[in-house]
């Protein structure tokens, strides 16, 4: 007993406190090396690739304090690393896309980064209806692999995030109107749990874990691979990029609200997204709204919907026809686009609403006008998105731990602030702007005495658990399951349930 306690203490000391003494730290993890596959790589702070492996989308704002990085090449590498970490009480964090922006990630005091990027294969299964996906696969990888076989699935809007990260908290997608959220398309998962055990989770195997993974998954384990439903690519897409001056804000969001009314004949194949941006060559004083209507189908089918927006008198309209995989670059969400840039200070916040409150949106845009005039934040944006809810609402809400609100509220907003440099004042100003924009966009909800819901994957880390995981019984069940699957809260660095 005494010896194991001593070992734990020594390991913590090596990993956390005396990381500057290379030979000691090396000794501490040398026990792991023989257990790993030949493809796994251990990187220590004095190794050449260390800095490269620390870079996150949100660094330097968020820098989890790793003492060692283990790049896992097989699921047993993940298992061995988690088992060692749990045995010696060493904190750890899985990393796939590195695009998580919630501030709770920064609470990792020291410990192991379990990098999953080598687990990046996508294989369409013989049934042609499912694909098996590696736990560290990125969106651009799955999209291209599936497309080569004439398939696609509910992927998110940016090429650079992982598939697993968004899935575990929901996963908004251009395809959600037809097929539900990314997590609604999960068929099964192979999961390394807190003890280092590898289990399968599906509707028949460990169904409670399967339920918890789909909505609060970051809290329950590491998915080394998973099986998702895939679909035959049906047709090309038509995209309308419509630019509005800021004086059209009320008319524009009034019309978007009409599309979300229960009586609306909104097609499931259509998604509506808006980004408030600064574009000085078009308007040197005020922000503009870059509005996108994407539709899976030919232009003549999309045209009647787009015509309603064009009738509002935009500055310009650009129409293009393309394949699903080309939508990423066309909507400025490709690998080279601003949202995908790494090592870029960034902060956001999730705001889910039943309808756009026009006064609130106007106020948010006024605040944005001031912030984006400040050169420190000129690349920032506010996203105001309505992806479509038919597919999402078609799923029985009790099947997943995803909060009910996430299936009910069609409007999803987030201020996204980018800035360079590390000075405290700028960081504080960024958080202050985000808070003010969030308050403005929740005006309508507050006015109607509603409860606030924030999308887990857009959370900035200061929300209550109810705001993220819901106000009903699901949260209680999640907490009960957490005690069973991860009683020590080892998976506690992404908006912890407990
Ligand atoms: C540019 C950009 C675009 C985005 N677009 C969308 C979008 O279209 N739709 C949407 O819903 N959200 C979107 N988001 C939000 C996104 O869902 C979250 O930021 C998500 O956490 C990113 O996951 P990641 O793997 O890239 O990041 P990471 O920081 O690597 O991971 C985030 C969290 O997931 C955990 N995790 C990662 N992989 C695994 C795994 N295999 N098993 C268990 N846990 C794992 C990590 O430990 C961490 O806690 C976007 C974010 C950004 C920055």
């Amino acid at each position: 007993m005494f010896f194991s306690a001593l070992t734990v203490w020594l390991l913590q000391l090596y990993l956390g406190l005396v990381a500057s003494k290379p030979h000691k730290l090396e000794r501490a993890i040398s026990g792991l090396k023989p257990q790993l596959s030949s493809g796994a790589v251990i990187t220590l702070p004095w190794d050449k690739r260390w800095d490269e492996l620390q870079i996150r989308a949100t660094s330097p704002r968020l820098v989890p304090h790793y003492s060692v990085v283990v790049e896992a090449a097989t699921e047993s590498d993940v298992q061995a690393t988690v088992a060692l970490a749990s045995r010696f009480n060493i904190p750890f964090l899985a990393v796939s896309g590195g695009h998580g922006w919630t501030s709770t990630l920064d609470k990792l005091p020291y410990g192991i980064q379990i990098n999953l990027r080598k687990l990046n294969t996508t294989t369409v299964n013989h049934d042609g209806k499912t694909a098996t996906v590696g736990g560290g696969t990125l969106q651009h990888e799955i999209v291209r692999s599936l497309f080569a076989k004439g398939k696609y699935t509910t992927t998110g809007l940016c090429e650079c995030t992982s598939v697993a990260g968004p899935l575990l908290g929901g996963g908004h997608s251009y395809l959600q109107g037809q097929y539900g959220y990314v997590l609604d398309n999960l068929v099964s998962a192979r999961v390394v749990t807190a003890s280092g055990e590898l289990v399968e989770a599906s509707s028949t195997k460990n169904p409670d874990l399967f339920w918890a993974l789909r909505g609060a998954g970051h809290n329950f384990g590491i998915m080394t691979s998973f099986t998702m439903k895939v679909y035959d690519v049906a047709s090309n897409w038509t995209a309308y990029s419509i630019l509005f001056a800021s004086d059209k804000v009320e008319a524009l969001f009034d019309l978007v609200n009409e599309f979300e009314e229960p009586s609306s004949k909104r097609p499931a194949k259509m998604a509506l997204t808006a980004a408030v941006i600064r574009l000085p060559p078009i308007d040197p004083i005020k922000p503009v709204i870059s509005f996108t209507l994407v539709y899976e189908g030919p232009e003549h089918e999309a045209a009647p919907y787009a015509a309603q927006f064009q009738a509002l008198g935009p500055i310009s309209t650009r129409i293009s026809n393309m394949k699903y995989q080309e939508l990423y670059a066309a909507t400025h969400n490709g690998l080279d686009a601003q949202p995908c840039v790494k090592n870029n200070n960034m902060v956001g916040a999730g705001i889910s609403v039943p309808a756009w409150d026009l006064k609130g949106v106007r106020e948010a845009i006024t605040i944005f006008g001031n912030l984006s005039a400040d050169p420190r934040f000129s690349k920032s944006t506010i996203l105001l998105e309505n992806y479509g809810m038919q597919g999402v609402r078609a799923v029985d809400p009790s099947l997943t731990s995803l909060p009910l609100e996430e299936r009910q509220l069609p409007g999803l907003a987030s201020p996204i602030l980018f800035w360079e440099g590390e000075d405290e004042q700028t960081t504080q100003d960024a958080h202050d702007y985000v808070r003010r924009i969030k308050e403005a966009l929740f005006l309508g909800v507050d006015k109607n005495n509603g409860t606030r819901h924030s999308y887990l994957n857009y959370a900035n880390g200061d929300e209550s658990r109810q705001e993220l995981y819901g106000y009903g019984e699901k949260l209680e069940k999640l907490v009960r399951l957490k005690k069973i699957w991860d009683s020590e809260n080892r998976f506690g660095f992404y908006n912890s349930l407990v």
Side-chain angles (χ1 to χ4, degrees), residues 56 93-101 105 116 135 156-158 161-162 164-166 168 171-172 218 221-223 339 346 455 457-458 494:
R56 301 184 60 77
L93 184 65
V95 171
S96 286
H99 278 276
W101 74 55
L105 291 169
L116 302 174
L157 272 76
C158 266
T161 66
S162 73
L168 295 167
H172 285 267
H218 317 87
I222 297 180
M223 285 201 304
M346 175 196 166
Y455 177 41
N457 288 331
Y458 283 8
Y494 196 92

Side-chain angles (χ1 to χ4, degrees), residues 213-412:
L213 278 181
R214 289 172 299 158
H218 317 87
N219 274 271
F220 285 89
I222 297 180
M223 285 201 304
T224 51
S225 70
F226 49 96
T227 300
M228 283 186 76
K229 290 182 197 162
V230 297
Y231 305 93
D232 292 330
V233 170
S235 107
N236 272 10
W237 289 64
T238 307
Y240 287 79
S241 306
I242 312 178
L243 198 61
F244 287 100
S246 63
D247 63 355
K248 301 287 184 189
V249 162
E250 284 78 6
L252 174 60
F253 287 96
D254 203 23
L255 180 56
V256 174
N257 283 343
E258 275 180 34
F259 272 94
E260 295 297 359
E261 279 170 12
S263 57
S264 148
K265 299 260 186 309
R266 174 182 175 155
K269 293 194 278 186
M270 184 177 82
L272 307 172
T273 59
V276 186
I277 51 172
R278 180 158 286 270
L279 214 53
I282 302 289
D283 191 331
I285 312 284
K286 293 183 193 149
V288 294
I289 293 108
S290 168
F291 185 75
T292 308
L293 181 157
V294 294
Y295 182 92
E296 187 176 26
E299 190 183 330
H300 69 86
E301 279 182 25
Y305 305 106
Q308 298 178 52
F309 292 96
Q310 289 170 289
L312 301 178
I315 298 168
S316 64
T317 302
R318 192 164 42 84
I319 308 169
S320 35
N321 190 269
M322 67 197 77
K323 299 184 174 87
Y324 179 72
Q325 61 175 359
E326 293 165 347
L327 277 173
Y328 291 91
T331 55
H332 308 290
N333 290 311
L335 285 179
D336 301 329
Q338 173 68 27
C340 283
V341 173
K342 286 205 169 178
N343 227 1
N344 197 1
N345 274 310
M346 175 196 166
V347 64
I351 300 128
S352 300
V353 294
W356 300 112
D357 179 79
L358 303 183
K359 230 176 121 197
V361 174
R362 166 62 63 196
E363 193 167 323
I365 289 175
T366 304
I367 298 167
F368 182 82
N370 294 332
L371 97 87
S372 59
D374 180 336
R376 294 175 302 168
F377 301 114
S378 60
K379 292 180 187 156
S380 304
T381 181
I382 306 179
L383 305 177
L384 302 151
E385 309 170 318
N386 291 66
Y387 295 115
M389 300 300 279
Q390 291 99 318
V392 170
R393 289 178 183 154
V395 177
D396 175 354
S398 70
L399 291 180
T400 70
S401 58
L402 191 77
L404 207 55
E405 292 81 351
E406 203 60 49
R407 293 203 188 273
Q408 290 169 335
L409 304 172
L412 173 64

